[in-house]
Amino acid sequence: MRVNHHALELEQNYLFSEVAKRIRTFQANNPEKALLKLSIGDVTRPLAKIITDEMKAAAEDMSHAETFHGYGAEQGEPFLREAIAGYYTKRGIRVAPEDVFVSDGAKCDLGNLCDLFDADNTVLLPNPVYPVYYDTSIMAGRRVIFANGTKENSFLPMPDPAVQADIIYLCSPNNPTGAVYNKAQLAEWVAYAQQQHALILFDAAYESYIRDPALPHSIFEIDGAETCAVEINSLSKTAGFTGVRCGWTVVPRTLQFDGASLHSMWFRRMATKYNGTSYIIQRAAAVVFTGAGQQAVHADIDYYMENAAIIKAALNAVGIHSVGGENAPYVWMQCPGNADSWDYFDMLLNQYGIAGTPGAGFGSAGQGWLRFSAFGARETVTKASGILASL
Ligand code: PLP
């Protein structure tokens, strides 16, 4: 038996495990000090009642022979796929229910999509980047190249037509930087993908945090994207589903690569290796797209975005440069005095009990930066911001 040697190429310390380890050490050494956790990439608000009520009703249905559900439709229940397609239509974006595949989350889809591509593809990743794109590409044995985010490009790297790439990952609003591409910038990426005959994997997991009405929520707002892009989304951050698990991927039937339909391939892959998202969860997910559901989830999104504004204001008050936080639940700050990300992380943690996430953990271009998440409780955010404003 031989193992996949590419899996051994991964760094053994997953970023978030290392951050958690250092936080545990801080707590063990400082039992009297409060921990102000702004490193959290998970939601903290409970599910909206309208969602849990629907889960209960769906669970009740499962206990009666007439309304019981066994295996569901491979692609997801039609009522949910229609609700998701309707969510796009409301914004004037044409997505057909037939092109929507329901899953148990964006991370799984991002990893599973790798099954469709040959190992001999060049992957272009933004740097810094959500580690899953990099790790899954490395595990699959693909060559990875980077487009660097910098202070000068506001962490919105643009394509270089001279660079050859086959698979391009984009994440907007971005984790970790909170930066969001505008329509003209996404149009440039679409044009580049078309010129390269490349595929864009567009991660829209944070689209519901966009405040500026001019910013695009979906790659399919860009003409031509239906011939070169797949979009991955999730209810994790939109509706607090991190522990519930429901996401979706839009694979347009217009996508043709190497003489094959990606839609057919993805359908086949899902039918082979996935037996569907829980019926109860799909019922709960469908509620999110109703008027009342949207109102409920946006109350929590507003709460998190107020947290982001509080953090951002504290940094502004002391002249610390940051990006993000206006259309995304992450604030990406430049460590003062060109400090190293991990050194600054350790200093904030050990001196003030504030935990961020070191930017260097998201890639070399994150060196010298730190990510703050807005997903904490208001009290924690206010206390930490008070300290940051006095640094
Ligand atoms: N994509 C991005 C950019 C994320 O930040 C996350 C979670 O942090 C995910 C995807 C994973 O989402 P899910 O919980 O749906 O797997």
Side-chain angles (χ1 to χ4, degrees), residues 31-54:
E32 74 297 345
K33 278 197 197 163
L35 173 71
L36 302 169
K37 209 167 168 193
L38 300 187
S39 55
I40 188 156
D42 197 352
V43 292
T44 52
R45 312 273 299 159
L47 290 171
K49 187 166 179 320
I50 190 172
I51 295 171
T52 49
D53 281 349
E54 185 68 6

Side-chain angles (χ1 to χ4, degrees), residues 41 105-108 110 130 133 171 175 203 205-206 234 236-237 245 330:
K107 192 194 236 184
C108 321
L110 285 160
Y130 177 53
Y133 314 151
C171 179
N175 177 12
D203 185 342
Y206 296 97
S234 158
S236 281
K237 305 300 159 70
R245 311 305 306 149
Y330 296 115

Side-chain angles (χ1 to χ4, degrees), residues 81 84-86 88-89 93-100 218 220 250:
R81 286 190 282 118
I84 292 170
Y88 284 95
T89 312
I93 309 164
R94 266 197 290 158
V95 166
E98 293 79 5
D99 293 347
V100 176
S218 164
F220 299 118
V250 179

Side-chain angles (χ1 to χ4, degrees), residues 15 127-128 332 340-342 357-370:
L15 166 65
N127 178 8
W332 180 247
D340 168 274
S341 291
W342 282 101
T357 308
F362 297 97
S364 56
Q367 179 54 272
W369 295 73
L370 196 85

Side-chain angles (χ1 to χ4, degrees), residues 33-368:
K33 278 197 197 163
L35 173 71
L36 302 169
K37 209 167 168 193
L38 300 187
S39 55
I40 188 156
D42 197 352
V43 292
T44 52
R45 312 273 299 159
L47 290 171
K49 187 166 179 320
I50 190 172
I51 295 171
T52 49
D53 281 349
E54 185 68 6
M55 277 182 196
K56 287 179 200 161
E60 183 59 29
D61 283 357
M62 295 296 257
S63 70
H64 303 283
E66 314 78 62
T67 45
F68 167 75
H69 283 76
Y71 289 127
E74 277 112 342
Q75 245 186 289
E77 295 299 335
F79 65 79
L80 179 55
R81 286 190 282 118
E82 273 154 30
I84 292 170
Y87 180 64
Y88 284 95
T89 312
K90 272 192 205 120
R91 206 169 278 122
I93 309 164
R94 266 197 290 158
V95 166
E98 293 79 5
D99 293 347
V100 176
F101 293 78
V102 176
S103 72
D104 56 352
K107 192 194 236 184
C108 321
D109 279 355
L110 285 160
N112 294 335
L113 279 162
C114 289
D115 279 359
L116 307 193
F117 317 130
D118 195 281
D120 186 19
N121 275 305
T122 299
V123 175
L124 175 59
L125 298 183
N127 178 8
V129 74
Y130 177 53
V132 171
Y133 314 151
Y134 179 75
D135 287 354
T136 53
S137 299
I138 293 296
M139 272 186 186
R142 297 202 178 93
R143 192 167 86 91
V144 176
I145 56 171
F146 295 100
N148 280 354
T150 60
K151 187 175 181 179
E152 290 66 40
N153 65 23
S154 306
F155 286 92
L156 291 168
M158 296 306 297
D160 174 353
V163 169
Q164 186 272 322
D166 304 304
I167 300 169
I168 303 155
Y169 286 77
L170 295 178
C171 179
S172 179
N174 189 273
N175 177 12
T177 67
V180 187
Y181 283 114
N182 64 30
K183 277 193 185 154
Q185 290 167 323
L186 282 189
E188 220 177 292
W189 275 107
V190 166
Y192 168 74
Q194 287 174 330
Q195 173 234 331
Q196 293 284 322
H197 303 293
L199 174 70
I200 294 175
L201 297 177
F202 189 79
D203 185 342
Y206 296 97
E207 60 78 22
S208 52
Y209 287 81
I210 293 175
R211 300 278 150 131
D212 180 345
L215 291 172
H217 290 240
S218 164
I219 191 74
F220 299 118
E221 291 183 47
I222 310 301
D223 285 342
E226 68 284 355
T227 64
C228 65
V230 161
E231 180 161 298
I232 299 100
N233 208 329
S234 158
L235 293 181
S236 281
K237 305 300 159 70
T238 295
F241 272 47
T242 52
V244 175
R245 311 305 306 149
C246 190
W248 71 89
T249 288
V250 179
V251 187
R253 280 158 296 169
T254 37
L255 282 180
Q256 291 282 334
F257 284 88
D258 218 359
S261 153
L262 281 194
H263 183 279
S264 304
M265 288 180 75
W266 185 236
F267 186 92
R268 190 71 176 87
R269 192 262 168 224
M270 291 293 267
T272 304
K273 293 198 191 178
Y274 190 58
N275 250 342
T277 307
S278 152
Y279 172 75
I280 296 170
I281 301 311
Q282 292 194 64
R283 283 270 299 271
V287 166
V288 174
F289 300 101
T290 62
Q294 284 289 299
Q295 211 180 345
V297 299
H298 274 279
D300 289 329
I301 290 170
D302 288 349
Y303 175 94
Y304 295 133
M305 288 308 286
E306 278 163 37
N307 282 349
I310 292 168
I311 299 169
K312 191 113 181 140
L315 297 176
N316 285 344
V318 283
I320 295 180
H321 180 73
S322 67
V323 301
E326 280 146 3
N327 294 287
Y330 296 115
V331 178
W332 180 247
M333 67 159 275
Q334 187 171 27
C335 305
N338 286 327
D340 168 274
S341 291
W342 282 101
D343 289 349
Y344 198 75
F345 165 85
D346 284 334
M347 185 282 290
L348 278 185
L349 179 63
N350 295 318
Q351 287 191 24
Y352 302 104
I354 298 176
T357 308
F362 297 97
S364 56
Q367 179 54 272

